[in-house]
Amino acid sequence: MSVFTPLEQPQLETFLAPYGLGRLKSFQGIAAGSENSNFFVSLEHGEFVLTLIERGPSQDLPFFIELLDVLHGAELPVPYALRSANGDALRSLAGKPALLQPRLPGKHVAQPNAHHCVEVGTLLGKLHKATCEKPLQRRSDRGLDWMLGEGRRLGTQLPAAAADLLQPVLDEIEAQRAAILALPQANLHADLFRDNVLFDGPHLSGVIDFYNACSGPMLYDVAITLNDWCSRDDGALDLPRARALLGAYASQRRFGPAEAELWPVLLRVACVRFWLSRLIAADANAGQEVLIHDPAEFEHRLAQRQRVDLALPIAL
Ligand SMILES: Nc1ncnc2c1ncn2[C@@H]1O[C@H](COP(=O)(O)OP(=O)(O)O)[C@@H](O)[C@H]1O
Ligand SMILES: N[C@@H](CCOP(=O)(O)O)C(=O)O
């Protein structure tokens, strides 16, 4: 179970008092998740999620808090940091940076259909529209340069067939780096996988886990999202789901010709990003009680993205 820092009731009560949300009724560690310690917290005045930040540079936390305030202000279904009586969003508990956020309703969808993909495409288009005029600046710590460095390092340790699959995409990243970074930018969720979205019946009711959020090319975020929501078990794209997601996104923000041209490349780059991070995590967490995602899933998806029969819908 991925709760790295267990909590005792008295220390939690002391922490929660300045929010003025009433008596602590119950709390429970959340097993899902792999980065931070999360707890469902039931208070007299509502249901909340407490997060203790376990990893990553804490100087980036003000960025996440500000971004979620912007998205909440744009009426997107996102969590946001509640303020204590003296206005603090970021506090400390058990020696870790701590945030209290509203608990969003809904459940994760493991087997999405085209309707779910419409909802996700619409949400992502709205997220980009809400931030593209003035993106809050944050470089991804798993961006193109990270992929080139880690890819070259890990490539030497992979079996030949896998290394042969990876190498051409690293070359492609090097060749297209400037063109990719010149694409229209906004704030990106950058990890909009099924396990970071909640559905209440047919309606998308929540987007969580913004800890990979950054500024960058919007098309990359579309590629990340589509690779998770619209892939079949063999890694191939499910075209009806993919067209549903892209059409819904385009109803919020139009794609441009430069994006249409780089689309197949971005689908491959988005596979490499998670293939590499999963290889690194699987190695670092081997034998521990932490959720490990299968790196081979992205190897198969990348193998299936060598030819892409899915054009972006661009306005003529
Ligand atoms: N605001 C929230 N509302 C409802 N559920 C949440 C919320 N935040 C987290 N969760 C639950 O906690 C789980 C783990 O959260 P997540 O942010 O993905 O953790 P991690 O950063 O460790 O990967 C999610 O899968 C979800 O079920
Ligand atoms: N959704 C990702 C996990 C998040 O990426 P990370 O780089 O922050 O570990 C996955 O399924 O691999």
Side-chain angles (χ1 to χ4, degrees):
M1 147 165 155
S2 303
V3 168
F4 305 95
T5 306
L7 293 177
E8 301 293 336
Q9 176 140 349
Q11 67 181 148
L12 186 54
E13 283 171 340
T14 306
F15 173 82
L16 292 168
Y19 292 96
L21 294 167
R23 193 175 49 82
L24 174 62
K25 297 203 293 191
S26 61
F27 72 102
Q28 190 189 4
I30 305 177
S34 48
E35 297 280 313
N36 300 311
S37 296
N38 293 293
F39 301 82
F40 288 130
V41 175
S42 182
L43 292 163
E44 244 171 327
H45 297 309
E47 303 299 319
F48 302 89
V49 172
L50 170 69
T51 302
L52 302 184
I53 310 292
E54 302 279 354
R55 290 153 208 219
S58 53
Q59 74 264 16
D60 286 339
L61 293 173
F63 164 87
F64 300 124
I65 292 169
E66 192 181 347
L67 177 60
L68 288 169
D69 283 345
V70 169
L71 299 179
H72 176 60
E75 298 185 356
L76 298 184
V78 297
Y80 54 93
L82 294 163
R83 271 50 175 186
S84 67
N86 52 8
D88 295 330
L90 182 60
R91 299 182 58 232
S92 173
L93 179 58
K96 307 276 161 67
L99 298 167
L100 186 69
Q101 305 184 320
R103 179 173 178 177
L104 300 171
K107 292 196 177 115
H108 302 295
V109 169
Q111 306 283 345
N113 58 31
H115 169 77
H116 296 117
C117 293
V118 166
E119 291 276 295
V120 170
T122 305
L123 181 286
L124 188 61
K126 287 183 178 170
L127 192 156
H128 292 164
K129 240 180 14 184
T131 57
C132 64
E133 272 183 24
K134 212 173 146 210
L136 300 172
Q137 293 302 307
R138 177 179 184 254
R139 277 171 67 100
S140 167
D141 37 34
R142 289 183 174 163
L144 299 178
D145 293 335
W146 174 88
M147 285 179 229
L148 288 174
E150 292 301 318
R152 304 246 186 262
R153 183 178 69 80
L154 288 168
T156 61
Q157 301 165 22
L158 290 174
D164 289 348
L165 184 63
L166 178 61
Q167 185 57 48
V169 193
L170 298 180
D171 295 343
E172 199 165 41
I173 292 174
E174 213 154 56
Q176 301 284 0
R177 191 180 177 283
I180 293 171
L181 294 176
L183 291 172
Q185 301 218 353
N187 282 117
L188 318 184
H189 182 284
D191 188 22
L192 195 59
F193 281 45
R194 285 160 290 166
D195 58 3
N196 285 330
V197 177
L198 299 166
F199 275 86
D200 196 2
H203 303 296
L204 192 158
S205 54
V207 177
I208 58 171
D209 197 353
F210 279 77
Y211 298 107
N212 275 297
C214 55
S215 43
M218 293 180 263
L219 191 64
Y220 177 51
D221 218 7
V222 178
I224 289 173
T225 306
L226 193 128
N227 275 338
D228 188 66
W229 286 85
C230 310
S231 289
R232 301 196 316 231
D233 288 348
D234 65 357
L237 284 175
D238 181 284
L239 293 179
R241 273 186 278 155
R243 291 195 181 108
L245 193 152
L246 291 179
Y249 180 92
S251 74
Q252 298 297 320
R253 183 189 76 85
R254 288 180 176 200
F255 293 111
E259 292 183 307
E261 203 176 312
L262 282 171
W263 174 232
V265 178
L266 267 292
L267 282 171
R268 290 190 281 274
V269 173
C271 287
V272 166
R273 185 265 183 243
F274 289 97
W275 185 14
L276 295 176
S277 61
R278 285 184 175 192
L279 284 169
I280 293 166
D283 188 42
N285 295 326
Q288 294 179 44
E289 277 191 66
V290 177
L291 288 183
I292 296 181
H293 299 292
D294 184 9
E297 195 171 21
F298 275 99
E299 182 181 348
H300 298 147
R301 289 176 184 172
L302 179 58
Q304 295 280 4
R305 302 290 181 275
Q306 301 305 300
R307 235 196 68 196
V308 176
D309 295 320
L310 173 73
L312 278 191
I314 56 168
L316 297 174

